[in-house]
Amino acid sequence: MSRPLRLGILVSGRGSNFEAIATAIERRELDAQIVVVICNHRQAPVIERAQRRNFPTVVLVQMDFPSRQEHHFAMGRLLTQHDVDLVVTAGFDRILDAEVVRAFDGRIVNIHPSLLPAFPGLHAQADALAYGVRFSGCTVHFVSEELDAGPILLQAVVPVYDRDTPETLADRILEEEHKILPRAIQLISEGRTRIEGRRVLLG
Ligand code: GRF
């Protein structure tokens, strides 16, 4: 039997998506193990969340490195040292250095709070609201060198209401993120994803 997929999680803040992955593993809905959690902010709530669950947790802050690239290389080395099969950027607020993306080609997934290719970037929920769309949602995609543009694995749709604020919309989307991110990782763990050009075919 093959070993459970070894996950390295990159996260910047709250860590509710990290928690959703950890819970899915506990419930045996996801056949994977979290081997390292890397956080790029010293005060992020996720650090305590991850330590409480006894996951190896490393804080790597860009300020402590001579350059952005050195910071990202350090994260890449850590992922390699932990023999990570799949990197999950779950609420990670940086664009990974292209060299790190290439080193883990096809082995990095990201969760984004919009229906890509609509509303890439850091303010997806506010942008969706301002545009006036009636539906938004979330996307799990493989990470490519271009921001929020890699092949799409799974998406989920939520309605947008007149009374919504960016916060209420973000909460509704987040509930779906917590479902599709573990589900997407499970598809990868079962070897059911094949990237063909822009598309991910699910076997
Ligand atoms: C999520 O909405 C994610 O899609 C976005 O940032 C948020 C992170 O939330 N990139 P959390 O840290 O997982 O709670």
Side-chain angles (χ1 to χ4, degrees):
M1 224 185 82
S2 58
R3 67 180 190 182
L5 200 67
R6 293 171 66 84
L7 306 179
I9 317 271
L10 300 191
V11 55
S12 298
R14 181 177 51 186
S16 70
N17 276 294
F18 148 76
E19 201 96 48
I21 295 167
T23 304
I25 293 171
E26 261 170 31
R27 292 188 184 150
R28 296 179 185 274
E29 293 162 3
L30 172 56
D31 187 22
Q33 53 177 322
I34 296 173
V35 295
V36 65
V37 178
I38 304 174
C39 179
N40 63 333
H41 293 292
R42 248 186 273 283
Q43 309 295 339
V46 69
I47 298 168
E48 209 202 302
R49 282 179 123 158
Q51 286 171 342
R52 209 182 313 134
R53 287 175 176 269
N54 287 321
F55 291 121
T57 307
V58 183
V59 183
L60 289 183
V61 179
Q62 181 169 326
M63 239 173 51
D64 297 340
F65 291 84
S67 67
R68 169 186 177 274
Q69 210 183 32
E70 285 303 327
H71 178 225
H72 289 221
F73 285 173
M75 292 191 280
R77 276 195 301 274
L78 209 53
L79 294 164
T80 305
Q81 280 160 11
H82 283 82
D83 200 12
V84 161
D85 298 316
L86 183 72
V87 181
V88 184
T89 55
F92 185 63
D93 62 2
R94 291 289 181 274
I95 301 168
L96 268 181
D97 182 84
E99 218 170 297
V100 178
V101 173
R102 280 196 293 273
F104 288 89
D105 187 33
R107 297 191 296 132
I108 311 177
V109 292
N110 179 48
I111 177 83
H112 181 77
S114 77
L115 294 174
L116 290 171
F119 314 121
L122 273 183
H123 309 288
Q125 301 97 330
D127 292 347
L129 208 54
Y131 197 94
V133 291
R134 295 292 181 195
F135 292 93
S136 189
C138 47
T139 303
V140 181
H141 64 94
F142 284 105
V143 170
S144 64
E145 287 173 42
E146 210 185 317
L147 174 68
D148 296 331
I152 291 173
L153 254 154
L154 289 182
Q155 293 185 303
V157 178
V158 305
V160 179
Y161 301 122
D162 289 352
R163 61 172 186 277
D164 267 329
T165 63
E167 291 72 30
T168 59
L169 179 58
D171 288 347
R172 192 172 311 119
I173 292 173
L174 194 66
E175 270 186 50
E176 298 303 316
E177 294 183 35
H178 295 164
K179 295 177 200 159
I180 67 167
L181 183 56
R183 206 178 292 151
I185 299 169
Q186 178 60 16
L187 286 170
I188 294 171
S189 129
E190 290 173 9
R192 290 173 56 194
T193 61
R194 191 158 47 88
I195 304 178
E196 242 185 55
R198 266 228 54 87
R199 300 177 70 201
V200 180
L201 305 181
L202 304 178

